[in-house]
Amino acid sequence: NVGAIPIAIIAFFIIMAFMIALTAQSRNPATQQMGREWAKRLARLREQIRGKPIEVQTAKTLEEQRQMGKDVVDNATTERKKCLDRLSPEKLAKCADALRKLEEAIEALVRAVGAVLVIGQRGSDALSIASGIGRAAQAVFAASRAAAECTGCDNMVL
């Protein structure tokens, strides 16, 4: 679908911006540094793809998104283990509502990003999809912050 490619690029950039903003909110200095590096990489990516054909833009953006995803997994795996080692069953029970809301917010973001793949359906357009992704990302921010405050963990690993 020809219309889906530019929307995919927009969605990737929104996701990257979301990930950068989330790392900036982290309490962990290493995670904050990772976010600063991502911001630099995103600026370089924008320069690299400016004026290139859509296919090139999409390929480079997807490649950068995959690398950022790998960075998140590597960082989150290490930090999550540290966090879980400190959490007691009582703390988890106390924070169950905040963690459930975070899970729901992440699922909503996944659905919003998935809408990029079905662009062209009646009522779907770039603005509504980007707006939906933005709202879902804001909800993840809020839920992540609340869950991090409750558990005492870094919001990037929850």
Side-chain angles (χ1 to χ4, degrees):
N1 188 338
V2 176
I5 293 174
I7 300 302
I9 293 171
I10 292 168
F12 285 138
F13 274 103
I14 290 171
I15 292 166
M16 284 187 223
F18 168 72
M19 291 170 64
I20 290 167
L22 194 59
T23 58
Q25 293 181 6
S26 173
R27 294 183 217 160
N28 183 326
T31 302
Q32 291 173 349
Q33 179 60 34
M34 183 174 64
R36 287 189 289 273
E37 291 299 318
W38 285 351
K40 290 175 189 173
R41 285 169 41 189
L42 183 58
R44 283 194 304 269
L45 175 64
R46 284 182 181 147
E47 288 302 314
Q48 287 177 350
I49 66 174
R50 185 170 287 147
K52 300 271 171 57
I54 289 293
E55 295 79 16
V56 173
Q57 291 183 34
T58 304
K60 284 189 179 281
T61 304
L62 182 58
E63 179 183 324
E64 189 68 22
Q65 183 70 30
R66 283 186 180 141
Q67 183 57 48
M68 288 174 70
K70 183 182 177 310
D71 293 347
V72 168
V73 170
D74 293 347
N75 181 61
T77 302
T78 302
E79 294 300 321
R80 180 173 285 149
K81 180 165 178 18
K82 290 178 193 174
C83 173
L84 292 177
D85 288 345
R86 292 190 324 257
L87 285 177
S88 66
E90 295 81 22
K91 183 71 138 177
L92 283 173
K94 177 184 169 215
C95 298
D97 189 48
L99 293 170
R100 181 186 48 75
K101 286 180 181 174
L102 175 58
E103 181 180 359
E104 291 169 355
I106 291 170
E107 288 171 358
L109 179 59
V110 169
R111 284 191 304 274
V113 171
V116 171
L117 302 175
V118 294
I119 186 75
Q121 287 185 349
R122 216 164 63 115
S124 295
D125 63 34
L127 184 58
S128 66
I129 289 174
S131 176
I133 291 171
R135 283 190 307 276
Q138 286 176 331
V140 170
F141 274 128
S144 175
R145 229 177 280 119
E149 287 174 11
C150 184
T151 61
C153 291
D154 186 336
N155 60 343
M156 274 296 289
V157 303
L158 290 172

